[in-house]
Amino acid sequence: ELKVEQNPLFLSMQEGKNYTIYCNYSTTSDRLYWYRQDPGKSLESLFVLLSNGAVKQEGRLMASLDTKARLSTLHITAAVHDLSATYFCAVDTGRRALTFGSGTRLQVQP
Amino acid sequence: GAGVSQSPRYKVAKRGQDVALRCDPISGHVSLFWYQQALGQGPEFLTYFQNEAQLDKSGLPSDRFFAERPEGSVSTLKIQRTQQEDSAVYLCASSHRTRGLAGASSYEQYFGPGTRLTVT
């Protein structure tokens, strides 16, 4: 059974600081997705990572994928309050259904 | 263009009632997924359609849950004899295949706003 683990589950950080969220998964996959969810809202797609070594950047967020280590990271640079949300990684092992991590709740303090 | 829409957005049901949740996918998207999201958790897969065919229903928690997509577009998730543990947000997603760099395929899923079901 595929397991997807995110850490940390909760992250409180100050504006301007950098931090990394980790996503480990337990079986072979070369498709990994990152989503953002604001309270009471649905999931917004952030990044699609399709191969080993893939790196994508958008604004203050950068995501990478290491399929050999079964690890993806979401790096936050110089955090701002607007980034406060819950971030999920999700893995597709080829059966098309996504298996999600538990989410990382990010709170950026002014 | 229009995204995935779901209705109703909120549903309160008494225990034992049947409910039907509707999903309108993005036009032209072949694949449609249902997920259940409990409070404070990540979404969990319920079932998947490709056109009108239900290809995977391994995530449906019991035989009280039933989904259909008879014409390959709109889908309905039905829950019979609701129980309190069915209280959750039900998310629908649709996708189509796109080609990324170096020919890798993506099946990025686009999510609807969800239906929040509360069973009392």
Side-chain angles (χ1 to χ4, degrees), chain A residues 31 33 35 37 40-48 50-51 56 88 92 95-103, chain B residues 9 31 33 35 37 40-43 45 48 50 56 58 91 95 100 104-109 111-113 116:
Chain A
R31 288 197 199 103
Y33 304 85
Y35 287 89
Q37 188 174 41
K41 306 287 187 185
S42 190
L43 292 130
E44 174 193 350
S45 178
L46 293 175
F47 298 109
V48 177
L50 298 178
S51 60
K56 296 271 184 82
F88 292 97
D92 175 1
R95 55 183 277 258
R96 305 294 304 283
L98 294 179
T99 301
F100 284 81
S102 299
Chain B
R9 293 291 313 279
S31 301
F33 304 81
Y35 293 86
Q37 186 175 24
Q41 301 294 318
F45 169 73
Y48 154 53
Q50 189 163 306
D56 187 342
S58 61
L91 294 165
S95 78
S105 293
S106 166
Y107 300 92
E108 184 177 4
Q109 295 183 22
F111 283 81
R116 181 177 298 275

